[in-house]
Amino acid sequence: MTDTVYPAIACIIPAAGIGQRMQAGKPKQYLSLQGKTILEHSVARLAAIPSLGPIWLVLAADDAYFDATPLAQSTVTRVKGGAERMHSVLNALHFIDEHQYPWVLVHDAARPLVRQSDISLLLQRCIDTGHGGILACRVRDTMKRGERYVSETVDREHLWHALTPQLFPTALLKAALRDAISQGIAVTDEASAMEWARHTVLLVEGRSDNIKITQPTDLALAAFYLEQMAE
Ligand SMILES: Nc1ccn([C@@H]2O[C@H](COP(=O)(O)OP(=O)(O)OP(=O)(O)O)[C@@H](O)[C@H]2O)c(=O)n1
Ligand SMILES: C[C@](O)(CO)[C@H](O)COP(=O)(O)O
């Protein structure tokens, strides 16, 4: 990390999901990866970066696991989650003063493998340009549209997988997320709200091993990637 001086950046980690697709019997952010919970890994990735400010951790109102993790003794601020990810992020934004923290970074608890080098690149590109942005990786497979049959092959030339972290000016994200949600816009990530509000969103190419733990096979893949990182 260079000694670049950045404006104060608040961090939000949405961790209030139930991990239904993981079928693990507990929220996937509390599954173990090399002896630590996925949540601990994701928090540690952000906490290791000096340029990032305090963390607002969004937990389910009925979370029954957090207090048993070492994070219960950490300095993270807990916020109550909402019905969907977008509500959880907006709940956290309500506690973040945009004058104190002009930028906010949002990172999924379910993405424990993000590299500091990728986060540093995102910070640099966004703060240097003044535009918010997202880590993303290019689509490498041929993309099809359809259900039971192919209806279309989609040109993948300019297609990306949106990842996290996603980094935006706090005031702009607050307004965009609030307005998009109130108008029923489908918001699956922060960038969707910012695009809807017609703000520029930078695409910052990141590593494809910054996977989101979503389905059962992802845990073994994450363990493999983590071992590769240690070497
Ligand atoms: N109401 C919600 C839903 C999701 N998340 C968080 O948003 C991130 C990405 O969401 P996803 O991968 O969909 O997690 P889940 O919603 O738990 O997964 P599923 O859809 O399989 O239940 C996760 O860290 C999850 O904990 C959240 O904070 N609040
Ligand atoms: C935010 C995100 O991780 C970007 O790819 C993704 O949109 C989360 O989607 P999910 O359905 O909530 O997992």
Side-chain angles (χ1 to χ4, degrees), residues 13-22 28-29 58 81-85 88 108-111 212-214:
I13 297 182
I18 62 172
Q20 192 167 11
R21 291 169 285 181
M22 198 71 195
K28 61 190 179 183
Q29 56 270 35
V58 192
E84 296 175 45
R85 182 183 179 282
S88 293
D108 291 336
R111 289 185 188 270
K212 180 164 64 73
I213 310 296
T214 305

Side-chain angles (χ1 to χ4, degrees), residues 17-160:
I18 62 172
Q20 192 167 11
R21 291 169 285 181
M22 198 71 195
Q23 303 167 346
K26 66 164 63 169
K28 61 190 179 183
Q29 56 270 35
Y30 294 110
L31 295 177
S32 180
L33 191 56
Q34 279 193 4
K36 287 182 182 174
T37 63
I38 287 169
L39 178 60
E40 288 169 79
H41 283 285
S42 299
V43 170
R45 297 282 167 160
L46 300 194
I49 300 184
S51 302
L52 295 182
I55 293 173
W56 278 261
L57 185 59
V58 192
L59 300 174
D62 60 353
D63 183 298
Y65 301 89
F66 180 78
D67 287 340
T69 74
L71 292 171
Q73 282 73 47
S74 73
T75 58
V76 300
T77 302
R78 304 178 206 185
V79 175
K80 193 182 294 184
E84 296 175 45
R85 182 183 179 282
M86 61 187 179
H87 302 112
S88 293
V89 172
L90 189 56
N91 285 358
L93 281 168
H94 288 323
F95 293 92
I96 297 172
D97 177 341
E98 57 262 29
H99 303 291
Q100 188 177 5
Y101 298 103
W103 288 80
V104 61
L105 177 142
V106 185
H107 181 58
D108 291 336
R111 289 185 188 270
L113 303 178
V114 63
R115 300 289 186 111
Q116 291 185 29
S117 52
D118 277 1
I119 297 176
S120 301
L121 187 59
L122 179 67
L123 294 180
Q124 181 189 345
R125 292 278 178 79
C126 291
I127 305 300
D128 286 355
T129 62
H131 294 304
I134 67 172
L135 285 181
C137 60
R138 291 184 183 277
V139 165
R140 293 180 294 194
D141 303 308
T142 294
M143 302 300 286
K144 304 288 184 185
R145 189 187 306 280
E147 276 307 319
R148 293 186 62 203
Y149 306 102
V150 175
S151 61
E152 177 192 4
T153 295
V154 178
D155 177 7
R156 69 180 183 199
E157 176 66 24
H158 302 294
L159 279 189
W160 299 71

